[in-house]
Amino acid sequence: MSIDTQAGNDILERVLEAEGPLVWLDVDDVEGLVERFAAMARRSGQSMYRWRPEDGLVSLREASTRVPGCPRVGDVLRYILQSLHFGIYLVTPPALVGAQDAHLLRQIARLPAQPVRRVILLGGAPSLAESLDDVLVHMATQPRPAGLRLRDGRWVT
């Protein structure tokens, strides 16, 4: 199932509204979601990045731009901790995340609310989600249920 523009916008909005900076996104179509986020980054100019083991940290706004010094997940997590700017980081975690990486993720979870920095874990190992359950916001990519709205004097869903 491909993620359309509105669904991508809704997912990004929910991620930005999340209570913490560490979000585990349960997504079926990872590449479709990354494409939608890349289109939003190019259109809005927002700083969005993707890390995966084979590429390192790459800007979604400027697809050919790699962030130097971030080939491993630990490097990316330290980069996020030191960043003083808005940023959304899509991370496809490796199957095994070491204790040091889990410690860095916990530090990210304690970051101040401003500037907004969100680390979105795409998929990942269930054991990672269990070990970080107390600081991780778990989110599905399904659209929000529509609430009641007033239309032509009637409440509709």
Side-chain angles (χ1 to χ4, degrees), residues 28-85:
D28 295 330
D29 184 10
V30 170
E31 294 307 316
L33 179 68
V34 171
E35 287 175 24
R36 292 301 331 136
F37 277 23
M40 287 184 277
R42 286 189 298 271
R43 194 173 51 252
S44 69
Q46 289 183 338
S47 297
M48 292 189 206
Y49 303 90
R50 180 182 190 187
W51 180 86
R52 55 187 181 170
E54 58 271 15
D55 297 329
L57 189 62
V58 178
S59 171
L60 291 181
R61 186 175 59 204
E62 300 151 6
S64 62
T65 305
R66 283 183 169 36
V67 177
C70 293
R72 294 182 307 271
V73 72
D75 301 327
V76 173
L77 299 176
R78 280 186 282 283
Y79 176 83
I80 295 166
L81 282 167
Q82 295 171 0
S83 173
L84 299 175
H85 304 286

Side-chain angles (χ1 to χ4, degrees), residues 89-110:
Y89 303 89
L90 305 170
V91 177
T92 306
L96 295 174
V97 175
Q100 179 64 30
D101 295 338
H103 176 72
L104 291 169
L105 285 167
R106 287 189 174 284
Q107 285 182 330
I108 289 171
R110 292 190 298 266

